[in-house]
Amino acid sequence: MLNISDERLAHIMEIFDKTWSTGSICSSSSGDKDSEVSGGYSVYDVIRPLVAINCSQYVVAHAKGELHPVRHFSEVVLLDHILEMMRKLGLNRLLRVQSYTWPHLIGGAGHGAMIVGAPRSGRTFAYVPAVCHVVCKALTQNRDQLKDLPPGAWQADQYGPMALILVPDLQRVQQVSAMCRAMLRKAEKEEWLTLCLTAPSSKSSEFFLKLLNGVGCMVVTPSQLAWFWQENPGLMRFPCLQFLVYDDVDLMSEEQLATAQQVLLEVMPLTHYPQVVMVSQSYSPTLMAKLRSVNDHPALVFGDILEAALYGGARIRISLLRSAAKAHAMVQMLQQCPPEDYRTVIFCIDDRDMQRAVAALEDRGYACLPYYQTSDLEVLEQVHSWKANTRGVILLCTDHCPEVIIRNAHTLIHHSLSQSWRTFKMRHLVMSDNLRNSLAPAASAVQVPLHSLVLLDHSNHRQLPRLVDFLQLHQEVDPAVVAVAKDIRKEMGQAKCVQSALCDQILMTGQCYDPVCEARHYVGHFDRRPAHMPASGDVKVQLVDVYSPTHLCVRLLEHLPPQGTWQVLPFTGVQEIRMKLMQRKTPRRYWPPVVGVICMYHTTFTKERVRVLKVAPIKNVNFVQPNVPVVLQALDTDTRIFSTTSERLFQCPEALQREPPLSCDLRLLDLVPYCGERNWTEDDCKQVKYMLTQLPKDHFLQAKIEFAAAGTLFARELVAMVYADQFKLHLRILNLKKNLIKTTVARRCEQATGMIQEFFEEVLVEEVAEKVQVPEENTVNKAEETIEAEVVVEQQPQVESQPVRSQRCQRLIELALKMGRENELREQEMQSKNTDAQGNQMAGPVITTTTEASKPLSNEDHIADLFDCMMNCTLMQLEDEQESPKDPDQKVTDPVDFLKHAINNEPTIKRKSKRSKAKGAPPAEAPPAPNHFQGEIPLQQPPNVVRPSVSYYQTVTTLELQVSLPEDDHEYKALLTGAQIFFKATSKSSELIQQFILTLKFPYTTLRHYIRGRTVYISVTKSLAFIDPLAFGEYRFLKPNHDMFGKIEKHISKTHTRFARAVKKFVSVKPTIEVEEESEESEDEEQDLDDIERVDSDKIMCD
């Protein structure tokens, strides 16, 4: 035996402050000190494993020798308190599985067993009483040995559990531990002893201290067992371990089993190997080989007859054919296995089906012995003689003849399937005596092959999906049969119209491991994404409730499409008020409840909308029944699923039913529990809920949507953000996914995401197909518009094919188009006048010339002229840029020239006065206001280029720009070239390009930039400390930062005040007022030109 590490033990004792004591203790009737007591338990925690539909009265049990089952409860050899507790719990029915396992498991060391049965068939209770019986006897034996020791002495090698039970999930931990806690007893003075121990959800040294003091039964999952070893490797072995149980071993993954096996090799006792018990729904030869290697007397007990048939060598085949072809299929099987050599039994659904089968076989020369439901004793005697010697006769019967007891058949033909899956499995009991016993010594007799042929037609195919699922676990199945089973399952689901909630395991990991899960495991048309729910992009949400670390209930606030801007969704508060106004003052009761319908759920204080998910069977809908159980899902207050009765349901107005739900589910992808469990612990849920509810009040949650289905948003990321008013940017204060991974609450699992998307593949494909059809309809509509307005459509591609032009060029284009239309009208008027004045006396050539000259231009000529005009306008713009010295509107770019103009009080931008315009040539028609043309002909740019939101302000020496980007993952470039600022930002998650070009009319030298969060800060240094007029009126995406402007003005005012006081203190200067010559254009008019707010450039700002 390995000694416990003193350092590790001292570390545990330092952390542990309080001595563990038992909870509520129920004393027995005896007052003796050594009277046995039980730990606290609740009767309601003990799940009753007995479900009649899964319990079998027949068992196939194999072992090396002969097993001796008990026949009655009075024959059961268990401790009195265990039998008493079983009677209190109502477990007083002895099942056939338990009658074999209880006597075998209490037989001592080496008596292991594998129990194969359906869930809720009593298989867990087939080992718990026997394990508790052995543990209690061991505790009594240790108690007797402790009496012989001197006072204060401690018995060696009494730490660790006596029975270790591994279960697949946390729910099973609670169920099995409740059973063990109810049936274990200890002495009243043994306060240090723990009867049943489970691993804590949080890391605690109390768990290890209880192990050191001794444990009766330890119930954990493989992941919890691995955690125990990772926390304290090499701490201890389990020298008292007598039982090792794998409950639901088929639900444990290979990784979990491998991890558990590594830990067990380190903690197993060195002196002996415990009894191994394996409980499974299906038989596994690999697991059975491991059990046989460690136990000398293993037993194999089948509560599932179909599993026993496959274990014993039976070969099951499925044949899909028409009813008329069944006779041919039976003949082929009989030719392969002649009735003279193989005892053959054919099962039919009823007597009429049997008559058809008998007629078909007798026509082909086969002797038949039909056993109808109306058969008498004479026919039954023939059946008994047939069991002794068949003489080549085929026995035909139905499922409703229990008096016909047959156990030695070789060939089984199902002419029709049974009405239930349980009855179909019981048919294979007819070949139970011929099943091969792999545990018995090798026999010399040759094994006779066993066959089971299933004939299916359109009238009895309802059990095919379940049969296919079963066979795929044990043997290969024809792909065509698998496809047919899938279609049948889909049709049956649609016919039932079941809209119950989807399985939570599927929504989290993509698959369900619970074989008795009552939730829905297939998608339907009602799982498609509703119109009000976004399918991609980003959303801002409001938290409503936390169901698990990756499952939240939220309300949608804003939506950012992949190639768009933020869109504010309807305010939920307004919607709530509007929906309350829609409700009736005197609502009517809703009857009968129908699955999928929206109704009102009334309580004493609340009224809310709900959707009906499940309704119990109603015998007579004409009579209103107030106590019909229903399952509902809330739509507005949250998305909880709860059960109630029909008396609380009331009708919902149709207008209110059409309103979209206010709440929806949000799930984070790629995350599964870190501990390896399939469910989240309560501590994990409380931790995440506390984390999300303690965020600042002005925060908001933003999620990146992957897809949406079944009323749920599946998101890749969920972050909490807050706006920092001082820095004018958004700060990310929490990334939920990264936080869960960092705190070891969850771990990444890409496989789960792939399985979830594969589960919803059908719904997602239908949604994509609809999106493809919508553009096709739009194309047809556009074609019709092309026929009606051919000229406009022909002009559009030519205009869009041109490069982006300036605002001046756009105005010239509009003028040219307007003048062209006026010339066309003028020519048409002249043509009509000339036609009236002309006579027929003119010569032919002259007429031809006049007609050609007066002929109006065609549409194509107008388009050609418009194109030439646009090209000329572009050339004019390029020439204007090249002739900068001659352009009166050209800005002064040289700092020296700019300083001279400023000292001489000359404006940096020269303007033509009204007098110069009057003296010159007559002016052309004045162009309209710029805003008017901007509304009709917008600036052209590629469809994937957008202007970001930019705010600006200036200081004495710099111009400051703040560029707000939609995400913080953008890569940007900022460049100052000449007098222009170029900015471009791109993102990996979006095809949109954030870009702008800003032309400055003031000399600047350098540009600096940096990014914080989603905001890019650009600082442009001025060449001189002057106020820039900032003529940005034509840039719509530029917005002034009035807060910063106010601060700068306040700073300027304070500086001027201090300067004036200093001058007044030392020098006395008389103010002089210079009268300026009045001009025809006042200063106010010049400042308000083009609605641009201008700053006096003569003022010099002083720091």
Side-chain angles (χ1 to χ4, degrees), residues 339-357:
E340 292 80 6
D341 301 328
Y342 301 90
R343 184 174 280 103
T344 306
V345 178
I346 299 179
F347 274 95
C348 303
I349 191 66
D350 52 23
D351 290 350
R352 181 176 298 180
D353 187 34
M354 191 187 307
Q355 291 175 359
R356 289 193 294 265

Side-chain angles (χ1 to χ4, degrees), residues 361-530:
L361 292 175
E362 289 180 350
D363 292 342
R364 289 165 175 78
Y366 289 97
C368 300
L369 176 59
Y371 187 84
Y372 299 104
Q373 296 185 13
T374 58
S375 299
D376 52 10
L377 294 177
E378 182 180 355
V379 180
L380 183 59
E381 292 179 358
Q382 295 178 6
V383 171
H384 292 319
S385 61
W386 175 87
K387 290 193 297 183
N389 186 4
T390 62
R391 296 182 301 274
V393 179
I394 302 173
L395 177 64
L396 291 88
C397 61
T398 64
D399 298 318
H400 309 287
C401 49
E403 64 276 8
V404 178
I405 302 175
I406 303 171
R407 300 291 183 268
N408 56 353
H410 301 98
T411 304
L412 179 60
I413 299 177
H414 308 270
H415 191 263
S416 297
L417 271 183
S418 305
Q419 294 181 351
S420 66
W421 175 248
R422 177 175 177 272
T423 307
F424 172 76
K425 293 194 297 184
M426 291 303 300
R427 287 181 175 181
H428 294 80
L429 193 64
V430 299
M431 56 177 63
S432 59
D433 289 348
N434 292 327
L435 298 179
R436 180 182 67 256
N437 185 1
S438 60
L439 301 180
S444 58
V446 180
Q447 179 67 31
V448 179
L450 306 177
H451 297 276
S452 177
L453 176 63
V454 181
L455 304 179
L456 295 177
D457 57 9
H458 66 280
S459 62
N460 57 1
H461 59 272
R462 296 178 61 86
Q463 300 296 336
L464 178 62
R466 196 166 186 177
L467 178 59
V468 170
D469 293 342
F470 176 82
L471 293 180
Q472 284 181 323
L473 299 175
H474 301 276
Q475 63 186 40
E476 295 183 2
V477 184
D478 188 1
V481 177
V482 176
V484 173
K486 184 177 180 180
D487 295 339
I488 294 174
R489 180 183 285 108
K490 183 177 180 180
E491 293 177 1
M492 293 172 60
Q494 294 176 353
K496 292 180 180 179
C497 296
V498 177
Q499 296 188 18
S500 58
L502 282 171
C503 177
D504 189 72
Q505 287 290 324
I506 292 180
L507 295 176
M508 184 176 67
T509 62
Q511 58 180 338
C512 180
Y513 302 89
D514 189 0
V516 294
C517 180
E518 297 180 355
R520 184 161 51 92
H521 297 82
Y522 61 89
V523 296
H525 62 89
F526 41 81
D527 292 322
R528 299 174 61 181
R529 179 184 63 86

